[in-house]
């Protein structure tokens, strides 16, 4: 059973930094890819950064040059998102997600971690 658990959210002031973590367990093989999404109140989830099947990362324009994703492929995978120069517009619930390499849709989700940036 695949489980994703995020942590690291919190409240920071404009210009501050946070590092989100996601522990992903239950992968029986390496045929999965992961991503960070975020959701603003009343809006659909949007991708922040995702890993493609060829291992490359794709960032949303809003995340480029400020956010950095990394992953540790241990027994349990650990996905990180280093967020710098945070702005109030980054305030959202952030989710860790995973998908099989055989699908385009992310079907496994964590419970989310709240990021709040105050001006």
């Amino acid at each position: 059973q695949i489980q994703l658990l995020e942590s690291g959210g919190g409240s920071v002031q404009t210009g501050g930094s946070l590092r989100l973590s996601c522990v992903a367990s239950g992968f029986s093989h390496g045929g999965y890819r992961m991503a960070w999404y975020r959701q603003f109140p009343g809006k659909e989830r949007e991708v922040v950064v995702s890993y493609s099947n060829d291992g490359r990362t794709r960032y949303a324009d809003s995340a480029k040059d400020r956010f950095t994703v990394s992953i540790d492929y241990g027994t349990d995978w650990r996905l990180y998102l280093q967020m710098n120069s945070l702005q109030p517009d980054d305030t959202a619930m952030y989710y860790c997600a995973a998908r099989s390499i055989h699908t385009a849709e992310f079907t496994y989700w964590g419970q989310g971690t709240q990021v709040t940036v105050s001006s």
Side-chain angles (χ1 to χ4, degrees), residues 58-96:
R58 297 179 179 179
Y59 288 87
D61 287 344
S62 59
K64 287 178 182 177
D65 301 324
R66 297 189 301 129
F67 295 0
T68 303
V69 68
S70 59
I71 191 165
D72 179 5
Y73 295 105
T75 301
D76 292 334
W77 294 10
R78 296 178 183 273
L79 182 72
Y80 302 100
L81 184 66
Q82 178 66 44
M83 304 188 296
N84 299 325
S85 301
L86 284 163
Q87 303 297 315
D89 287 348
D90 296 315
T91 296
M93 184 71 79
Y94 285 72
Y95 295 91
C96 174

Side-chain angles (χ1 to χ4, degrees), residues 34-74:
M34 299 192 71
W36 285 103
Y37 277 71
R38 65 184 180 184
Q39 187 172 25
F40 302 109
K43 300 290 183 66
E44 297 289 323
R45 287 176 186 171
E46 62 180 41
V47 64
V48 177
V49 58
S50 65
Y51 281 89
S52 59
N53 282 5
D54 61 5
R56 297 181 181 182
T57 54
R58 297 179 179 179
Y59 288 87
D61 287 344
S62 59
K64 287 178 182 177
D65 301 324
R66 297 189 301 129
F67 295 0
T68 303
V69 68
S70 59
I71 191 165
D72 179 5
Y73 295 105

